Amino acid sequence: MSTESSAATTLTTADLTLVRALQREPRATWTRVGAVVGTDATTAARRWERLHKAGLAWLTAYVTPPTWTVGYVDLACTPDRLLAVGEEVCRWPPVFSVERTTSDHQLFLGIAARCYHAMDTLVTKRLGVIPGVRSVRMAVATHIHREGGGWTVGPDQHEPSRTSLPLPQFWQDGSVRTIVDALGTDGRLSSAELARRCGVGESVVRRVLARLLRNGELAFRCDLAHVAAGWPVIAGYRLDVPADVLDRVAAAVAALPETRLSAAVVGRGNLVVSTWLRNPADTTGYEARLLRTAPGVRVLDRAVTLTMPKRMGRLLDQAGRAVGYQQILPAGGHPVPGG
């Protein structure tokens, strides 16, 4: 489909209501979802199938970020190699998100690793040696106060941040990883379908999911095409916040309805922020409110995202529609799905 026709596609109010319901209860039965959105189960399922097939909305499962070492990498590239570098890193499983921005470091990456050593190897021996990369800037997340899976459509547009436990031995079971991998592609797969695809009994699927969810090791994320949904502008900020108020400021920024990411980091600045906005002019108002959260906060870098070809494992077209999925594989570890 052409960029023009993709960009022209919009999500209706009914579509957004359905997405919001699935953001709150990603694996609720269609009967329950239909009751919430004011329709019957068949209509709700059919509407979701249309959105999913069109790449306008999708639901995935992923290991919650605190179980990884999460990093944010800025790459400065020569102009003639910028597109090629972006396409290259989109193919790398440890790189879960890729944005091309207006910053002097044009590419902004989200990366996952099992440990600092694996992250160092990824950055220095792989990213740093790609032809055309002039500079690499790295920050390691210490606490994620909000990420995209905690953002919902609606007046409040945010949910409490998710937390999780370190991966236990349970994850060494091959059937566990297989089930989670399948849910990464489509988080709405039924237990029966998961059992069929993974070659295990349905009781095994139910036991695995119950344990993962009970222990907070797995999250489900309902996402949508930001352009079609009416939030075409993605703006990112690097902030320097006084250490004694960092947690308070990060939480306050996370509570702003437009905020999709609020992550305390060690690197250039100590807070990384990403937001969805209605139009470019909204960046000024958002930044003003952001700075009012704490006097003394300094903006070290601000940028608008020109295109986002990858978001939490989903490959996107220029209109932000899902056109593919790549399982996230943290550097130095076993495969886990993304969102």
Side-chain angles (χ1 to χ4, degrees), residues 161-338:
S161 299
R162 297 184 174 103
T163 58
S164 64
L165 305 175
L167 291 180
Q169 287 300 112
F170 185 54
W171 281 87
Q172 303 307 313
D173 184 338
S175 63
V176 175
R177 296 200 304 271
T178 301
I179 292 168
V180 175
D181 293 348
L183 285 170
T185 303
D186 183 357
R188 285 292 302 182
L189 290 175
S190 67
S191 295
E193 179 62 17
L194 282 169
R196 187 187 68 79
R197 293 192 184 192
C198 301
V200 298
E202 190 170 345
S203 61
V204 174
V205 171
R206 295 183 185 279
R207 176 180 61 82
V208 167
L209 289 181
R211 180 166 178 175
L212 295 177
L213 294 173
R214 182 173 64 249
N215 291 343
E217 299 162 34
L218 184 69
F220 288 89
R221 170 169 169 163
C222 183
D223 219 331
L224 71 171
H226 63 286
V227 176
W231 290 280
V233 179
I234 300 175
Y237 302 87
R238 291 294 185 101
L239 307 179
D240 187 38
V241 182
D244 59 337
V245 295
L246 176 58
D247 284 344
R248 179 178 66 79
V249 171
V253 171
L256 295 175
E258 303 91 343
T259 299
R260 292 269 301 185
L261 174 70
S262 177
V265 301
V266 176
R268 184 170 185 262
N270 55 5
L271 188 63
V272 173
V273 176
S274 181
T275 179
W276 282 8
L277 302 169
R278 298 289 188 182
N279 59 71
D282 288 344
T283 57
T284 301
Y286 177 84
E287 185 173 333
R289 284 186 291 126
L290 186 152
L291 292 176
R292 283 199 296 271
T293 61
V297 172
R298 293 190 303 130
V299 178
L300 303 179
D301 193 14
R302 61 177 64 81
V304 168
T305 295
L306 302 175
T307 186
M308 188 174 194
K310 190 176 187 182
R311 184 195 309 150
M312 284 303 285
R314 293 285 169 174
L315 302 176
L316 310 178
D317 67 12
Q318 292 183 18
R321 296 165 29 126
V323 294
Y325 170 74
Q326 182 187 66
Q327 178 189 22
I328 296 175
L329 171 59
H334 296 292
V336 293

Side-chain angles (χ1 to χ4, degrees), residues 3-26:
T3 301
E4 289 78 8
S5 61
S6 297
T9 303
T10 58
L11 288 160
T12 66
T13 300
D15 294 335
L16 293 175
T17 300
L18 176 62
V19 169
R20 178 177 173 82
L22 289 173
Q23 286 176 326
R24 289 185 172 277
E25 291 190 68

Side-chain angles (χ1 to χ4, degrees), residues 19-60:
V19 169
R20 178 177 173 82
L22 289 173
Q23 286 176 326
R24 289 185 172 277
E25 291 190 68
R27 288 183 61 81
T29 65
W30 286 122
T31 299
R32 179 170 175 78
V33 171
V36 170
V37 302
T39 189
D40 60 85
T42 301
T43 301
R46 186 169 58 244
R47 184 180 298 159
W48 173 255
E49 184 65 16
R50 175 181 61 80
L51 295 178
H52 186 258
K53 285 186 175 180
L56 292 170
W58 55 94
L59 200 153
T60 191

Side-chain angles (χ1 to χ4, degrees), residues 58-184:
W58 55 94
L59 200 153
T60 191
Y62 60 104
V63 177
T64 43
T67 63
W68 308 337
T69 298
V70 172
Y72 301 103
V73 178
D74 300 302
L75 298 181
C77 306
T78 58
D80 62 320
R81 290 285 304 168
L82 177 57
L83 185 60
V85 173
E87 291 174 346
E88 170 72 16
V89 297
C90 274
R91 293 192 288 267
W92 294 10
V95 178
F96 57 80
S97 295
V98 178
E99 299 179 47
R100 192 159 70 245
T101 78
T102 58
S103 174
D104 55 357
H105 282 65
Q106 307 102 312
L107 291 178
F108 175 63
L109 315 180
I111 65 174
R114 297 295 295 161
C115 61
Y116 288 146
H117 175 71
M119 181 166 287
D120 176 63
T121 299
L122 174 66
V123 172
T124 59
K125 295 186 178 181
R126 296 194 64 192
L127 289 171
V129 299
I130 299 175
V133 172
R134 295 188 293 105
S135 175
V136 180
R137 196 166 60 193
M138 175 72 194
V140 176
T142 58
H143 183 73
I144 298 176
H145 293 262
R146 179 155 323 282
E147 50 91 27
W151 183 94
T152 60
V153 175
D156 53 343
Q157 290 184 203
H158 56 273
E159 294 291 334
S161 299
R162 297 184 174 103
T163 58
S164 64
L165 305 175
L167 291 180
Q169 287 300 112
F170 185 54
W171 281 87
Q172 303 307 313
D173 184 338
S175 63
V176 175
R177 296 200 304 271
T178 301
I179 292 168
V180 175
D181 293 348
L183 285 170

